Amino acid sequence: MVDYLAILPEIALLVLAAILLLVDIRLKEEGKDTLNWIALFGLVITFVLTILLAQPGEEEVIWGGMLRHDWMAFVFRLVFIAGAAFTVVFSRGWEAIGDRGEFYGLLVLSTLGMTLMGAAGDLVMLLLAIETASIPLYIMAGFSTKDGKSAEAGFKYLLFGAMTSAVMMYGFSLLFGFGGTTDIYALADAIAAGNVPTLPLMTSIILVLVGFGFKISMFPFHFWSPDVYEGAPTPVTGFLSTASKAAGFAVLVRVMLVAFPSVTVEWQTLLAILSAITMTVGNLVALRQTNIKRMLAYSSIGHAGYILMGVAAASSLGVISVVYYIAAYLLTNLAAFGFVAIYYKQTGSDEIEDYAGFSRRSPGLAFAMLFTFLSLGGIPPLGGFFGKLLVFSAAIQADMVWLAVVGVLNAVIALYYYLTVIKFVYLRRQEGDEVPFPVAKSQSLAIIICVLGVTFLGVIMAPMFELAQKVASSFF
Amino acid sequence: MIPLSNYLIVAAGLFSIGLYAVLARKNAIMILMGIELMLNAVNINLVAFWRYLTPENVSGQVFAAMVFVVAAAEVAVGIALIMTVYRRRDTVSADEINLMKW
Amino acid sequence: MELTNLIIWLIPLPPLLAFFFIVLFTNKNNKLSHSIAVGGAGLSFLGAMYVFYQALTTNHFAEHPFGNAITWLNLGDKPFEIGVMIDPLSAIVLFFVAITVLMIFIYSIGYHNYGQPKGDHDKKGFPPHGAAQDGHTVLSIEPMYARFFAFIGLFAFGMFTLVVSDNLLTLFVGWEIMGLCSYLLIGFWFGKDSAKNAAKKAFMTTRVGDVFMLLGISYLFTEAGTLSFKAIFTEEMISHLAHADSYIPGLSVAGLAGILLFIGTVGKSAQFPLHVWLPDAMEGPTPVSAMIHAATMVSAGVYMVIRMFPLLQAGGHGELTTAMTVLAVIGSITALFAATIAVAQNDVKRVLAYSTISQLGFMVAALGIGAYVAAVFHLVTHAFFKALLFLGSGSVIHGMEHGVLHTGNHKVDPQDMYNMGGLSKKMPKTFWTFLIGGFALSGFPLITAGFWSKDEILADAFANGHMGVFWTLAIAAFLTAFYTMRQITLTFLGKARTKEAEHAHETPATMTTPLIVLAIFAIGFGWVGVPEHFPGIGGILPNWFHDFIAHGLPSFIHFETIHFSWTPLITSLVVALGGLLTGWLVYRNATTAENDPIKKLLGPVHTLLKNKYYFDELYDKVLVKPLAVFSEKVVYEFMDRKVIDGFLHKVAELTFSLGTIFREKFDLPVINEFFGDGTAAMTQWFGEKIRKIQSGNIQQYMIIAVLGAFVALFAFWMTLN
Amino acid sequence: MTPLEVIFWIASAVILISAIMMVTRRNLVHAALFLIVTLFGVAVYYVLLEASFLAVVQILVYIGAIAILVIFAVMLTRQVTNPGQLFNKHASLALVMSILVFIGLYLALSVWPEFSAVAPEADTAAAISNLGTAFFVEEDGQPVYLLATMTASVLLLIPLVGAIFVARQKE
């Protein structure tokens, strides 16, 4: 019974996907708005059900070891479902996707894959979960088939994803050979007992990291993300940059910490170096961008670098910082892409220059944007700040002061380009900026929730922090 | 008897050939075919490991079967996306599909 | 006790509520907005005074400071607590902050021309230009009047939070809120490019300090496991921190953390070499200058470093630690360096800006030589007289603007002191209060507060044998008196040098009343800290200040009472009076900026001073430009276009074309190829290759990914062997 | 050499040579045919490794599905033969990289003690029936791979939805 209750969210998501796909067939063209509401309510209900019924209890290993029913799985489930729900809100009325049942169905299926990624305790399950999460995203990125850029985004995303996942699978096969088991938790002991030398083991780890690095857009596997983020429909980009990335981190944390304790120092060093390069590359290139989606893409590469810092720390505080950072980052980046989506729908432009006069057209939205960008930049007392603080502390605690210094310098650079956008929003004017800006009720509500959430995470951190502590306690 | 190493070396070779197709062939369909080669290399590995190290346990074969599923799904979606791009741009050459850059 | 603690918690709240109220509800109604803001500041003021009174009347207050804490985060075995604390240091800081903040709020009403009509052509983001009324032009009300009060409310909230905090984290929160507000307020007139740039500069420069401070905070937290002052400043903890080695050889954990935190102060309190933002910040409205540069933000930097004194002195056993030496050197350099610049400035506010940097340097240097009480004393007196001077200068500018509106000649800069002169008769209240403030700044003997605090710093430096610091500060003090008198002479004395100055007007009571109140403190506050051994009057009044503050330090830190000595006293008398006299003598007949007497005397050095030692230009050349070029050329063009793409080509060419090239170049007649078509062909061949460079190419991305994985593995393999 | 070894060497040669042929063909239909040959070679491997179920799946399902899909794609995009260059401008580097990857994998694996292991005697017939049940049936009250099977079915649903979506675009 525990087994079924534990995968209640997955069951609910599957049912929701089926409903969406079936209802779509029956609906007439003018009634397609309903799909958005069904998807939103379905996800909200799933979210509530998850909190109420699927909290982890005593028994952790379920489904014959396929899944782990622990706090990590639980927290990340909430993260993914919330991400999907916000994405649904921002997809509302978006041309070519907002009225498509397939789109919502794929979104929900992808979320299902992610929730499994967060919980997978077995390489077989992990592989299936990663693909279940990724393949719908390839289609979603290329969903606006009338838009050449979108099709190209899907195309590039698929090719890069398929290549890296093939490399990752090769790594999986080697791990299976070294350990003789597919259970991630049994792997550590089996590897230790089987006298696998460090070189082949590190080879398999690096191969696996290619796949994980692709999901979290870590250097040098990040190249796809600016192109794909720019081309994909903006709501999809928001989902890619938050939930999908968070899923990658969930897997990375679990696999690294659980399966490879014998070579912790080696992979720690590797991840620390990659973290430093990732954030530096992301932030420096972001400085030069003129398209806001591309800029946010590079900025999210930078954020991936910060989060990697917490993973590289390989400590309890490290895991806490990763979870906390992801929670704050989820809300801020979803809101950020929300603004981009709303603005694009009104003006048809993604250029940062065209944000001039935004504050006049919609003071409330502009204020929320200010908030969001300040949180991304790590200004207290917002969630982004506390996330950064934790990540830096984790790095320092792990004796990687140099990494923290790199992180701090990067934070300064990052602040600059966030403020550049704010400069256009608040200080520049353009013709016709007296015209006010209609925003759908559900979208303003979503943005208010994001902003409040970010402030909450920055001011009253105890609840989230304790949750993150529980997550960490399943590893240490 | 055939040692395990023989299978692993052929698998590594197949993987590298597939990788070369992915990295170097311009035609996107060829890239997908290259990925198929890589996945087959993975499967040779899995089955060989199963037979030589854990024949009493079926997990290697199950794993291989799941790789089939993944391969099929990726190819199907891949071809769908390639068709979309082809309709818009009249080409399937990976290096001509570069509207977005820098 | 309970009531007091509750009030301490509540002190920061009213200005914050005022901020929200004004922003959300009343921003259309000017009167209601300023009433709410002033009311909020008033409530905080009452609360602060109550707490201060309780602090004075409680026995053994220093041993049992007020405050309590709540658990904020449960970090497993050690809960993370935040809370409030009022000990002698924060009590005295709270006292002056509450007074000055309230005065500045009231002053702002008049400064922003409340009660005047709306300007004819005034736009948001620009200073008001005046309105036509009954045929002549009068001052007009600030177009963003309500918004200003909202911002300063938030700012006050940040400052109060910082002062009542019992731990570094909430202190930092207050610190950063002020950083944000200073950005908003310096750039209040964002329509002016200069204001916009100044705001950006202030924010970015202080941010440099802030990140180091944050690093210091996290480092301290990792090592000490707590950020609470009470928990850190225990004998065991301090000695633990003093004896643990940090990453930097020769520095203890306490030393490194202290220096990192101090870099935060360097940014916030505009110490050398991060001082560049403060003079530019004068682009903000004058009450902002008073608020940021006297009462709150820059003082906060010094307050923080004073607060961390037990950490800075850890391990020194009475001798100077590395951290303290850093403070002493930076402080002295700043004090002298800024004072020399102030001598050559003609803008009435800029002189004060550099003077502030210089005086903050005095405090930092005092702390650096261990003169804890003197540093606090100067912090308080300086807050009073510098707020007074800033508000006074605002009043002068206001009066001059009157004149400008009267004559209609907008080319005349109302802030240039050479356009003034003789204002003492036109604006008597402003003159007398400014005179008091100026004399306090110069350290006019016996009657002004500035004398007592500055004298104490010099006496301390002398008594403990820090002669380098002593003489540096003495020269700085002389310059202080000199430029102050220069300012007073040019502004108020003599005859009016322009028509505008002739038509200047005294400002309304909302502006002059705060001046008078602050002037009282600028004189009277010195009397609470007269040393016992001072000849003649020492001991008449008890040296209350010294007892009160010194007892606030943890008991394991000991001070030796310094013995009275004539040398520092005479020095401070000579520099103060000498400076004032020289200033008056040199400038009483000054006419125009071109004929500035000092300019003739110093020649090219004057140009150097006037241009602030070219520090802005230096930073622009060394930091700003290179970074821009770096991101433009190196990252964007070089990294992206050349390195990644070029690298791929080069590698391919090297491996595969090497053989071909060699065969062709050596097999074919070498000379013919080399001097003939060969070079041209090579160039073309390269050009062709480069022309083909493009990206957005997914396979190129893949190659880099595989290459990256391979390099990682190879690097790992190399470390194995 | 035992007959098994002979079969192994022939299969290896078929796999590698036809893979190389596939990569270098200009005509995409030919390339697809070589892919099918490679996949057959892999199926022979499965037989040698006594994984007969997978061998059957490889031939009946996989080759059918993949090869037909690829050939359809080739036909639909009318790109049977590639005009212009076969390889992109990084081809030479890609070749170096691929060779390095092969050498790297070989070197890394060769230090593993089990690298040259010999196959133990095993009752592989039992394994087939175990495999059949492993997908669906519970073992010791624990459904071992049941959830994986269900996820795989969801995963297969996705391209179905995607295909419908793409097919509808024609309108």
Side-chain angles (χ1 to χ4, degrees):
Chain A
M1 202 50 221
V2 174
D3 287 8
Y4 285 98
L5 209 53
I7 61 162
L8 186 68
E10 283 78 8
I11 296 172
L13 288 173
L14 191 58
V15 172
L16 177 61
I19 292 174
L20 284 164
L21 290 172
L22 292 177
V23 168
D24 184 36
I25 301 170
R26 307 294 298 161
L27 272 179
K28 295 199 177 68
E29 274 309 313
E30 56 270 25
K32 295 282 185 176
D33 217 23
T34 326
L35 286 167
N36 189 286
W37 289 116
I38 296 178
L40 181 57
F41 283 120
L43 286 165
V44 170
I45 290 169
T46 312
F47 191 84
V48 175
L49 279 182
T50 309
I51 293 180
L52 293 182
L53 297 175
Q55 289 206 18
E58 293 282 303
E59 197 172 346
E60 286 217 324
V61 185
I62 53 170
W63 290 97
M66 288 294 112
L67 295 185
R68 290 273 154 168
H69 189 40
D70 56 9
W71 284 98
M72 171 112 183
F74 175 72
V75 170
F76 275 92
R77 264 185 193 140
L78 297 182
V79 164
F80 305 139
I81 297 171
F86 282 111
T87 307
V88 168
V89 173
F90 292 124
S91 307
R92 181 176 192 79
W94 191 272
E95 202 194 346
I97 64 171
D99 55 355
R100 303 296 307 231
E102 294 96 337
F103 176 78
Y104 295 114
L106 288 172
L107 178 70
V108 171
L109 287 178
S110 175
T111 314
L112 165 63
M114 288 173 191
T115 60
L116 290 173
M117 272 170 89
D122 189 288
L123 289 179
V124 175
M125 197 60 223
L126 188 56
L127 171 65
L128 289 168
I130 290 178
E131 295 299 328
T132 311
S134 305
I135 294 179
L137 291 176
Y138 303 150
I139 307 173
M140 283 154 67
F143 213 88
S144 307
T145 39
K146 298 214 173 69
D147 176 5
K149 278 188 169 182
S150 171
E152 179 178 330
F155 174 85
K156 284 183 176 173
Y157 193 23
L158 171 104
L159 290 183
F160 202 89
M163 193 279 281
T164 49
S165 76
V167 174
M168 178 186 73
M169 281 186 235
Y170 198 86
F172 280 178
S173 76
L174 293 184
L175 283 178
F176 168 65
F178 297 153
T181 173
T182 54
D183 189 312
I184 295 171
Y185 285 75
L187 259 181
D189 305 331
I191 289 171
N195 299 324
V196 186
T198 322
L199 181 62
L201 187 55
M202 278 308 285
T203 310
S204 59
I205 290 176
I206 289 173
L207 292 177
V208 170
L209 274 181
V210 173
F212 295 172
F214 155 72
K215 292 297 293 179
I216 63 177
S217 59
M218 168 177 78
F219 177 90
F221 316 116
H222 68 276
F223 288 96
W224 60 275
S225 57
D227 290 4
V228 173
Y229 282 17
E230 185 188 340
T234 307
V236 179
T237 310
F239 192 62
L240 279 182
S241 75
T242 51
S244 168
K245 190 170 278 201
F249 273 106
V251 171
L252 183 72
V253 168
R254 192 186 290 272
V255 172
M256 285 294 151
L257 291 178
V258 168
F260 309 119
S262 55
V263 285
T264 302
V265 179
E266 282 84 358
W267 64 254
Q268 243 190 321
T269 319
L270 179 63
L271 284 187
I273 294 169
L274 288 179
S275 151
I277 303 179
T278 304
M279 63 179 116
T280 312
V281 166
N283 284 326
L284 283 181
V285 182
L287 281 177
R288 296 285 319 158
Q289 300 303 321
T290 53
N291 179 300
I292 193 160
K293 279 168 84 178
R294 252 185 127 69
M295 189 213 84
L296 284 172
Y298 282 109
S299 114
S300 83
I301 294 171
H303 286 287
Y306 294 125
I307 308 176
L308 262 180
M309 237 173 172
V311 185
S315 61
S316 176
L317 184 59
V319 176
I320 292 173
S321 68
V322 168
V323 174
Y324 207 98
Y325 202 109
I326 285 177
Y329 171 76
L330 177 90
L331 292 174
T332 40
N333 234 34
L334 279 170
F337 279 107
F339 301 126
V340 177
I342 293 169
Y343 202 76
Y344 182 80
K345 241 168 68 187
Q346 287 298 322
T347 61
S349 171
D350 281 334
E351 294 300 309
I352 295 174
E353 285 184 359
D354 294 336
Y355 276 70
F358 186 20
S359 64
R360 286 163 205 284
R361 301 192 61 177
S362 176
L365 211 55
F367 186 65
M369 192 163 175
L370 172 74
F371 238 70
T372 308
F373 275 55
L374 290 182
S375 173
L376 282 173
I379 303 272
L382 300 169
F385 163 75
F386 199 67
K388 278 207 177 66
L389 189 70
L390 284 174
V391 170
F392 294 156
S393 317
I396 292 172
Q397 196 191 46
D399 271 339
M400 294 190 286
V401 179
W402 65 271
L403 187 57
V405 172
V406 174
V408 168
L409 293 177
N410 264 290
V412 180
I413 300 176
L415 194 64
Y416 180 79
Y417 59 77
Y418 291 128
L419 287 180
T420 310
V421 179
I422 294 302
K423 179 182 80 186
F424 277 100
V425 168
Y426 270 92
L427 303 183
R428 294 287 164 84
R429 299 202 54 168
Q430 65 173 350
E431 270 180 47
D433 61 10
E434 303 82 16
V435 189
F437 211 98
V439 183
K441 283 262 159 40
S442 60
Q443 294 181 345
S444 358
L445 185 66
I447 281 175
I448 290 172
I449 291 174
C450 285
V451 168
L452 287 181
V454 171
T455 322
F456 183 78
L457 285 178
V459 179
I460 307 165
M461 39 283 252
M464 188 62 214
F465 193 87
E466 273 160 23
L467 210 53
Q469 248 176 344
K470 283 183 183 162
V471 173
S473 65
S474 32
F475 297 103
F476 295 96
Chain B
M1 285 298 282
I2 309 156
L4 175 60
S5 54
N6 286 12
Y7 286 104
L8 298 187
I9 292 170
V10 173
L14 191 57
F15 183 80
S16 307
I17 296 171
L19 187 64
Y20 179 60
V22 172
L23 298 183
R25 281 297 297 250
K26 286 168 92 170
N27 192 304
I29 297 171
M30 282 303 291
I31 297 177
L32 282 184
M33 283 156 78
I35 288 168
E36 287 309 311
L37 291 188
M38 292 166 80
L39 294 181
N40 268 276
V42 172
N43 263 357
I44 295 176
N45 265 0
L46 287 171
V47 179
F49 282 137
W50 163 75
R51 180 64 189 86
Y52 280 75
L53 303 174
T54 58
E56 71 288 346
N57 197 331
V58 290
S59 46
Q61 289 208 41
V62 175
F63 208 152
M66 296 311 171
V67 174
F68 280 149
V69 174
V70 170
E74 272 183 357
V75 162
V77 170
I79 284 175
L81 282 165
I82 290 173
M83 305 293 278
T84 328
V85 170
Y86 178 73
R87 279 196 201 125
R88 298 230 16 117
R89 308 277 293 274
D90 211 28
T91 177
V92 292
S93 184
D95 58 359
E96 286 169 37
I97 298 169
N98 55 359
L99 272 183
M100 293 168 290
K101 50 187 144 188
W102 305 132
Chain C
M1 262 316 256
E2 286 305 308
L3 178 66
T4 316
N5 285 343
L6 181 67
I7 288 179
I8 297 172
W9 278 99
L10 293 179
I11 286 174
L13 276 188
L16 180 69
L17 293 178
F19 165 73
F20 280 118
F21 259 101
I22 297 172
V23 167
L24 294 177
F25 305 116
T26 68
N27 57 10
K28 294 273 185 302
N29 187 331
N30 288 338
K31 184 169 186 185
L32 199 54
S33 293
H34 78 225
S35 311
I36 289 174
V38 174
L43 282 178
S44 292
F45 171 79
L46 290 178
M49 287 309 126
Y50 176 80
V51 171
F52 186 63
Y53 177 75
Q54 291 296 324
L56 291 184
T57 51
T58 304
N59 289 329
H60 302 293
F61 170 61
E63 287 82 31
H64 306 287
F66 302 145
N68 57 11
I70 53 166
T71 305
W72 191 36
L73 263 189
N74 203 350
L75 286 172
D77 50 338
K78 42 191 179 190
F80 194 94
E81 296 194 322
I82 59 163
V84 296
M85 180 181 75
I86 293 293
D87 68 345
L89 174 62
S90 41
I92 203 87
V93 174
L94 190 62
F95 171 73
F96 82 71
V97 166
I99 294 176
T100 45
V101 161
L102 182 62
M103 288 306 127
I104 292 164
F105 272 56
I106 294 171
Y107 177 91
S108 300
I109 298 174
Y111 181 83
H112 287 303
N113 301 329
Y114 179 70
Q116 299 291 116
K118 267 199 181 139
D120 306 327
H121 310 290
D122 285 354
K123 264 196 290 194
K124 287 186 179 180
F126 288 92
H129 297 301
Q133 203 177 44
D134 309 331
H136 59 272
T137 318
V138 296
L139 290 167
S140 59
I141 191 165
E142 163 65 41
M144 297 186 296
Y145 187 82
R147 185 185 296 192
F148 182 83
F149 283 93
F151 284 170
I152 57 173
L154 185 61
F155 194 98
F157 164 70
M159 187 63 196
F160 282 124
T161 309
L162 182 137
V163 176
V164 299
S165 291
D166 78 335
N167 65 84
L168 269 173
L169 191 64
T170 37
L171 181 142
F172 189 69
V173 170
W175 182 280
E176 286 292 335
I177 290 175
M178 283 197 287
L180 175 69
C181 290
S182 78
Y183 173 76
L184 295 173
L185 285 169
I186 295 171
F188 186 69
W189 287 320
F190 53 78
K192 299 198 296 182
D193 274 337
S194 54
K196 218 159 57 185
N197 292 334
K200 219 169 12 181
K201 187 168 172 185
F203 195 61
M204 295 307 281
T205 316
T206 51
R207 192 82 196 153
V208 172
D210 292 353
V211 289
F212 281 100
M213 179 173 166
L214 187 56
L215 207 58
I217 292 177
S218 0
Y219 184 48
L220 195 59
F221 183 68
T222 338
E223 294 293 335
T226 173
L227 288 176
S228 152
F229 298 137
K230 266 187 224 159
I232 295 176
F233 301 151
T234 56
E235 193 158 6
E236 305 85 63
M237 181 65 83
I238 287 291
S239 98
H240 162 71
L241 293 176
H243 293 108
D245 283 328
S246 71
Y247 304 101
I248 295 170
L251 259 188
S252 64
V253 168
L256 181 58
I259 289 176
L260 285 173
L261 291 173
F262 173 62
I263 297 177
T265 299
V266 171
K268 209 64 149 187
S269 295
Q271 295 294 289
F272 178 87
L274 296 181
H275 62 276
V276 288
W277 64 271
L278 199 145
D280 289 19
M282 296 301 132
E283 292 293 338
T286 300
V288 170
S289 307
M291 190 110 154
I292 294 177
H293 308 122
T296 56
M297 199 171 91
V298 294
S299 299
V302 177
Y303 167 73
M304 191 272 287
V305 79
I306 291 176
R307 179 53 89 194
M308 299 319 284
F309 182 69
L311 192 70
L312 295 170
Q313 61 84 48
H317 307 292
E319 299 296 310
L320 294 198
T321 59
T322 318
M324 286 170 75
T325 316
V326 170
L327 258 72
V329 171
I330 297 277
S332 318
I333 291 178
T334 311
L336 181 60
F337 165 87
T340 54
I341 299 180
V343 170
Q345 302 300 315
N346 291 339
D347 183 303
V348 65
K349 271 171 82 183
R350 263 174 203 267
V351 175
L352 292 176
Y354 281 105
S355 150
T356 306
I357 299 177
S358 169
Q359 296 303 309
L360 293 167
F362 269 85
M363 300 169 208
V364 170
L367 199 67
I369 56 169
Y372 180 81
V373 179
V376 181
F377 197 18
H378 199 55
L379 175 69
V380 181
T381 55
H382 174 258
F384 284 123
F385 63 66
K386 194 47 72 62
L388 168 61
L389 285 172
F390 267 116
L391 297 185
S393 74
S395 179
V396 168
I397 295 167
H398 224 261
M400 284 295 291
E401 275 169 358
H402 242 288
V404 170
L405 285 180
H406 186 87
T407 61
N409 181 4
H410 287 282
K411 281 188 188 131
V412 173
D413 179 2
Q415 304 202 15
D416 190 336
M417 296 191 293
Y418 275 101
N419 290 336
M420 303 175 188
L423 291 182
S424 58
K425 292 169 207 99
K426 310 276 176 205
M427 311 173 74
K429 283 185 196 154
T430 306
F431 167 63
W432 286 107
T433 51
F434 198 93
L435 191 71
I436 291 170
F439 275 23
L441 171 62
S442 316
F444 189 81
L446 303 183
I447 55 169
T448 64
F451 168 73
W452 297 109
S453 57
K454 210 177 277 181
D455 177 55
E456 193 165 340
I457 295 177
L458 289 177
D460 244 313
F462 185 80
N464 291 317
H466 304 297
M467 297 313 287
V469 175
F470 175 75
W471 287 114
T472 316
L473 294 187
I475 297 171
F478 173 80
L479 289 173
T480 308
F482 177 76
Y483 66 66
T484 308
M485 200 57 208
R486 169 177 182 263
Q487 188 175 29
I488 292 171
T489 316
L490 285 178
T491 309
F492 292 103
L493 305 181
K495 285 200 187 90
R497 281 184 293 274
T498 55
K499 269 204 174 129
E500 288 72 22
E502 281 172 23
H503 291 96
H505 246 278
E506 182 61 293
T507 44
T510 45
M511 291 172 79
T512 49
T513 319
L515 293 180
I516 295 166
V517 173
L518 288 171
I520 294 169
F521 281 102
I523 291 182
F525 201 80
W527 294 89
V528 299
V530 180
E532 279 106 7
H533 306 290
F534 198 82
I537 52 176
I540 299 175
L541 287 165
N543 190 354
W544 167 83
F545 192 83
H546 190 279
D547 292 340
F548 187 69
I549 291 298
H551 285 124
L553 273 177
S555 52
F556 59 90
I557 300 173
H558 301 288
F559 282 114
E560 287 180 26
T561 325
I562 50 167
H563 297 290
F564 177 75
S565 161
W566 280 101
T567 322
L569 174 61
I570 292 174
T571 313
S572 56
L573 287 177
V574 167
V575 294
L577 295 175
L580 288 172
L581 188 66
T582 327
W584 184 69
L585 287 176
V586 172
Y587 279 97
R588 64 193 157 140
N589 291 323
T591 49
T592 60
E594 286 71 40
N595 297 326
D596 192 307
I598 285 288
K599 194 173 177 181
K600 281 183 223 145
L601 189 68
L602 294 176
V605 179
H606 184 266
T607 323
L608 182 68
L609 295 181
K610 190 149 176 70
N611 289 297
K612 313 141 198 168
Y613 293 98
Y614 294 102
F615 251 81
D616 285 334
E617 288 78 3
L618 183 72
Y619 281 176
D620 198 50
K621 285 238 161 53
V622 178
L623 294 173
V624 181
K625 285 265 167 56
L627 197 65
V629 171
F630 183 74
S631 64
E632 166 92 31
K633 298 277 182 225
V634 178
V635 179
Y636 183 60
E637 292 184 0
F638 187 66
M639 280 276 284
D640 258 22
R641 292 180 190 227
K642 297 240 171 72
V643 174
I644 295 180
D645 230 277
F647 175 73
L648 297 174
H649 278 271
K650 288 301 163 310
V651 174
E653 280 156 18
L654 269 176
T655 42
F656 270 80
S657 308
L658 218 61
T660 336
I661 292 169
F662 266 70
R663 199 186 63 234
E664 284 176 10
K665 297 304 163 202
F666 284 89
D667 281 6
L668 297 173
V670 175
I671 296 179
N672 187 18
E673 279 288 10
F674 199 72
F675 293 103
D677 308 328
T679 30
M682 283 280 279
T683 329
Q684 275 185 6
W685 181 71
F686 262 96
E688 175 66 15
K689 282 280 175 190
I690 292 167
R691 191 184 63 79
K692 277 190 187 162
I693 290 175
Q694 56 179 0
S695 193
N697 181 345
I698 189 71
Q699 281 171 310
Q700 181 182 315
Y701 301 165
M702 291 179 182
I703 290 179
I704 300 169
V706 176
L707 189 68
F710 192 81
V711 167
L713 188 62
F714 188 72
F716 175 72
W717 187 56
M718 294 304 286
T719 55
L720 264 190
N721 297 342
Chain D
M1 278 219 279
T2 62
L4 281 186
E5 282 179 53
V6 174
I7 298 174
F8 173 81
W9 289 114
I10 295 174
S12 307
V14 168
I15 290 175
L16 294 177
I17 292 172
S18 54
I20 292 171
M21 294 297 276
M22 183 209 99
V23 176
T24 51
R25 283 316 84 189
R26 179 170 291 275
N27 186 317
L28 282 183
V29 177
H30 294 175
L33 291 176
F34 275 109
L35 174 65
I36 294 173
V37 176
T38 311
L39 298 184
F40 263 111
V42 176
V44 174
Y45 263 24
Y46 294 158
V47 174
L48 286 173
L49 289 167
E50 299 169 43
S52 32
F53 172 72
L54 290 179
V56 172
V57 173
Q58 174 95 351
I59 293 171
L60 290 185
V61 184
Y62 193 69
I63 294 182
I66 302 292
I68 302 301
L69 256 176
V70 169
I71 290 175
F72 260 119
V74 173
M75 301 296 188
L76 283 172
T77 56
R78 294 190 290 278
Q79 300 236 341
V80 174
T81 49
N82 277 299
Q85 284 179 306
L86 282 191
F87 295 101
N88 62 23
K89 59 198 162 84
H90 307 301
S92 39
L93 178 61
L95 184 54
V96 178
M97 298 278 316
S98 306
I99 293 170
L100 283 178
V101 165
F102 175 72
I103 295 172
L105 287 176
Y106 173 76
L107 288 179
L109 284 172
S110 63
V111 297
W112 180 39
E114 302 275 355
F115 186 53
S116 311
V118 185
E121 288 298 315
D123 178 12
T124 47
I128 294 183
S129 63
N130 284 346
L131 179 64
T133 51
F135 285 124
F136 301 106
V137 183
E138 305 187 352
E139 183 184 293
D140 310 331
Q142 284 290 339
V144 181
Y145 286 106
L146 180 57
L147 188 68
T149 316
M150 295 196 287
T151 315
S153 58
V154 173
L155 178 54
L156 286 173
L157 174 71
I158 292 164
L160 205 65
V161 177
I164 293 172
F165 164 70
V166 171
R168 273 223 216 146
Q169 294 303 305
K170 279 188 176 169
E171 300 156 15

